[in-house]
Amino acid sequence: MAHAIVYSELGGPEVLTLTDIEVPAPGEGKVAVRVEAAGVNPIDGKLRSGLRASGPLTAPRRVGSDGAGVVTAVGEGVDGFRPGDEVVVFGASGLYASDVVVKASSVQPRPPQVSAAAGAALGVPVGTAYQSLRSLGVGANDTLLVHAGSGAVGQAAIQFAVLWGATVVATASPARFDRIRELGAVPVAYGEGLVDHVREAAPDGITVAYDAAGTDEAIEASLEVVADRARIATIVRGADAAGFGIRAFSGGSPDPLSPQQLAWRAEAVPVTLALLAAGTFSVELGPALPLTDAAEAHRLLAAGTPGKITLVP
Ligand SMILES: NC(=O)c1ccc[n+]([C@@H]2O[C@H](COP(=O)([O-])OP(=O)(O)OC[C@H]3O[C@@H](n4cnc5c(N)ncnc54)[C@H](OP(=O)(O)O)[C@@H]3O)[C@@H](O)[C@H]2O)c1
């Protein structure tokens, strides 16, 4: 029997429960995937707790948008996938499950060099980082400040920016500095003295700032070191961005992403898969827990566990 994680009320990690599910045959344009790993993202916890509004809970709600696995069946009109293909799933729903049926547009072939866990780590983080940096026009003449550079989005942002020729300064806790350096950025500690630390790390100045931390400190520091507010963006404080005069990409923003921005989010996964296959992109994996331990996975996420946490059905 197929199974999935659901919640029937908003609350702490304990509201996540395992349930049996029916998996329909894939309809037109859809693909059935046996999930080998599901990525755990902060948004999953925010939706579960009600921190991010998501409409009335009238039926048990599934969790998770990213995963990787093996195609088990394809619907009519689906070209390019066959049962047995190893794939990455992104931008879908209900991935905390043993089996899913998703749109073919949410599926990408997974190269042999990319493990299921690494594939499951991509969707939200790389989609967000890639789209944000494209929207900000980050390029070779830039010095980019990334807040929360040691997180999944931050690590992706550092790597795209470095690949595109930018110089990158990234905040993290000191225990994570080695990882930041490994990715090609200069680490600085968040907390007291942040602006001074950033100025020391980038004596020629910061031209663009990207907030994946969501703290007042991150936004205030960005405002202090970047002259052009159109080159400061947050992905966490979307509701407050207009008040600061900065840009927001989702994260509670009242403004939806543009068609171009949505296209960049979708493009990010195949671009990253090609980089991973070429050995020029790196995903930091964290604990892999059984699907039945979804609640524990959310506790580990809230506790700031390094690396992408995955669930294994
Ligand atoms: N708008 C969107 O579309 C979108 C998409 C994806 C994510 N997000 C949001 O972006 C945020 C990051 O996501 P993620 O997946 O990268 O999370 P993550 O992998 O869990 O990483 C969280 C990061 O926050 C850092 N951090 C903790 N306290 C901090 C502080 N006081 N100041 C600066 N950094 C601090 C941690 O750094 P250390 O471990 O080094 O302490 C860690 O690197 C989340 O709030 C998430 O909901 C938004």
Side-chain angles (χ1 to χ4, degrees), residues 28-222:
E28 194 176 347
K30 298 209 166 163
V31 176
V33 175
R34 181 168 48 74
V35 179
E36 294 181 319
V40 175
N41 288 300
I43 188 64
D44 305 340
K46 291 179 183 180
L47 291 168
R48 184 215 72 224
S49 66
L51 194 64
R52 181 62 46 80
S54 57
L57 249 178
T58 50
R61 186 170 287 162
R62 299 270 297 269
V63 194
S65 55
D66 300 339
V70 176
V71 172
T72 53
V74 299
E76 265 185 52
V78 174
D79 292 326
F81 292 107
R82 289 187 308 194
D85 286 352
E86 296 190 323
V87 292
V88 164
V89 181
F90 64 102
S93 60
L95 263 293
Y96 290 17
S98 61
D99 298 86
V100 290
V101 174
V102 296
K103 285 190 222 153
S105 57
S106 291
V107 179
Q108 281 289 320
R110 177 159 50 94
Q113 301 91 333
V114 181
S115 67
L122 301 183
V124 169
V126 304
T128 307
Y130 183 91
Q131 169 265 308
S132 303
L133 267 51
R134 286 284 190 221
S135 299
L136 287 165
V138 172
N141 294 326
D142 280 315
T143 300
L144 168 70
L145 171 61
V146 177
H147 297 281
S150 51
V153 177
Q155 291 194 28
I158 292 170
Q159 293 182 81
F160 290 131
V162 167
L163 275 167
W164 301 338
T167 299
V168 186
V169 173
T171 74
S173 46
R176 309 284 286 134
F177 278 12
D178 284 349
R179 178 63 182 162
I180 300 280
R181 287 193 193 98
E182 224 173 88
L183 300 177
V186 180
V188 296
Y190 55 78
E192 211 182 321
L194 175 59
V195 169
D196 292 339
H197 297 149
V198 169
R199 289 200 167 116
E200 276 161 34
D204 295 334
I206 298 286
T207 57
V208 49
Y210 183 49
D211 167 41
T215 56
D216 285 349
E217 174 188 71
I219 293 179
E220 284 159 12
S222 302

